[in-house]
Amino acid sequence: MAGMTLNVGIKNLKNGTRLSSIEVPEKLKQRIDTGIDFINDAMGGRGFTPSVCGLFTGTPGSGKTTMMLQLASSLASKHSSKAVLFNTAEESLYQTKMQAERLRIDTNFAVGQDIMINNVLKHANEIGAKFLILDSLQTLNDGKWGDKVNSKTPQRVLQMITEWCKENYTCALVIGQVNKDGKMAGNNVLKHMVDLHLHMSINQDPKSEWVGFREMEVEKNRFGASGLTYVLQLNERGLQEVA
């Protein structure tokens, strides 16, 4: 992975250890129910496996922020107001609140607007968040070069998020920016670092019966099936599954 080594393994693993002798922690077996059927289904039917770190990309206007607001709201309702931390460095929390109100989304979840990833993770630990939603990867900084960032900053930031998930049996979804072709911006190393990659787009095929609808594709999933596509409709209450 181009020099990126994730600290996510079993510590002090002895040479010759058999896979049959490794005991999976019970915390990893307790799925995090999102309360949203099509997202639970995409994750294998019962929600997120604790420790999953995922990227969520999408074309402009496809509904990425709407989807994340719905997810945050549902997680908070299903678990507790401190179960999820929604951190946005992409736009102001005033804008985020107005969008949620327009869609009549319950906003009883913790929020932040930190740029430094150390502060984000500290906030998540302080409230005991099980789920972290970040908007977006390209706006975050690890502070290695002070306020400056470079092409490797997103990799270092994502490494820190991934390791936080593995160490704490928590989950994170990180919104990633796309290029003019609608593909994920940045080095492909980012895709290899995560367990999950979801992509949102708007169907623009005039011959399709779903033209104009949103499509959520599961492009990668280490804990479930990949290659799945969910057709969604964006209405005054947010995104709803159609097919």
Side-chain angles (χ1 to χ4, degrees):
M1 291 197 304
M4 294 299 293
T5 302
L6 297 178
N7 183 26
V8 297
I10 299 174
K11 295 181 180 179
N12 303 318
L13 182 69
K14 295 181 179 180
N15 291 343
T17 299
R18 293 170 296 174
L19 187 61
S20 60
S21 67
I22 293 177
E23 296 185 9
V24 178
E26 286 299 317
K27 288 183 178 180
L28 281 178
K29 301 176 183 180
Q30 299 169 4
R31 294 291 188 102
I32 300 176
D33 183 0
T34 68
I36 300 176
D37 289 343
F38 69 87
I39 294 182
N40 281 350
D41 185 74
M43 296 303 103
R46 295 185 294 116
F48 279 81
T49 299
S51 80
V52 165
C53 179
L55 280 171
F56 184 45
T57 58
T59 54
S62 59
K64 298 186 297 297
T65 302
T66 297
M67 173 76 80
M68 293 299 94
L69 284 171
Q70 285 183 244
L71 177 60
S73 177
S74 185
L75 284 166
S77 176
K78 192 77 178 178
H79 302 280
S80 76
S81 61
K82 295 181 179 180
V84 56
L85 172 60
F86 186 104
N87 188 90
T88 174
E90 186 75 27
E91 58 185 25
S92 81
L93 285 174
Y94 296 130
Q95 292 173 299
T96 303
K97 177 67 179 297
M98 288 190 293
Q99 181 175 353
E101 287 181 338
R102 177 172 56 84
L103 296 168
R104 288 178 282 177
I105 293 174
D106 184 4
T107 56
N108 189 32
F109 51 85
V111 295
Q113 51 186 15
D114 289 302
I115 294 175
M116 306 304 293
I117 187 59
N118 282 323
N119 293 336
V120 176
L121 298 180
K122 180 182 178 181
H123 186 176
N125 287 333
E126 285 177 349
I127 67 173
K130 296 180 179 179
F131 211 104
L132 180 59
I133 296 174
L134 294 159
D135 187 9
S136 64
L137 177 61
Q138 282 74 14
T139 61
L140 295 169
N141 190 355
D142 66 337
K144 183 174 183 179
W145 307 111
D147 293 335
K148 297 180 180 180
V149 298
N150 58 30
S151 61
K152 298 295 184 181
T153 303
Q155 294 180 29
R156 296 194 303 269
V157 169
L158 191 59
Q159 179 178 6
M160 293 175 68
I161 298 168
T162 299
E163 291 179 357
W164 176 79
C165 290
K166 307 306 179 190
E167 291 170 359
N168 297 283
Y169 304 103
T170 48
C171 295
L173 265 184
V174 189
I175 293 179
Q177 296 176 359
V178 297
N179 55 32
K180 293 180 180 179
D181 297 324
K183 303 298 182 181
M184 189 180 76
N187 197 307
N188 278 330
V189 170
L190 299 173
K191 292 182 180 180
H192 295 292
M193 294 173 67
V194 295
D195 306 297
L196 173 72
H197 181 201
L198 302 176
H199 184 75
M200 286 274 289
S201 61
I202 303 174
N203 187 322
Q204 297 180 335
D205 182 1
K207 296 181 181 180
S208 172
E209 64 178 310
W210 306 117
V211 63
F213 285 78
R214 272 63 177 173
E215 294 180 342
M216 186 186 81
E217 301 172 70
V218 184
E219 297 198 352
K220 176 182 180 179
N221 188 1
R222 285 194 178 125
F223 294 94
S226 59
L228 302 173
T229 299
Y230 296 83
V231 180
L232 310 172
Q233 184 176 25
L234 181 62
N235 55 36
E236 68 277 3
R237 296 303 299 272
L239 289 158
Q240 308 294 328
E241 184 181 11
V242 177

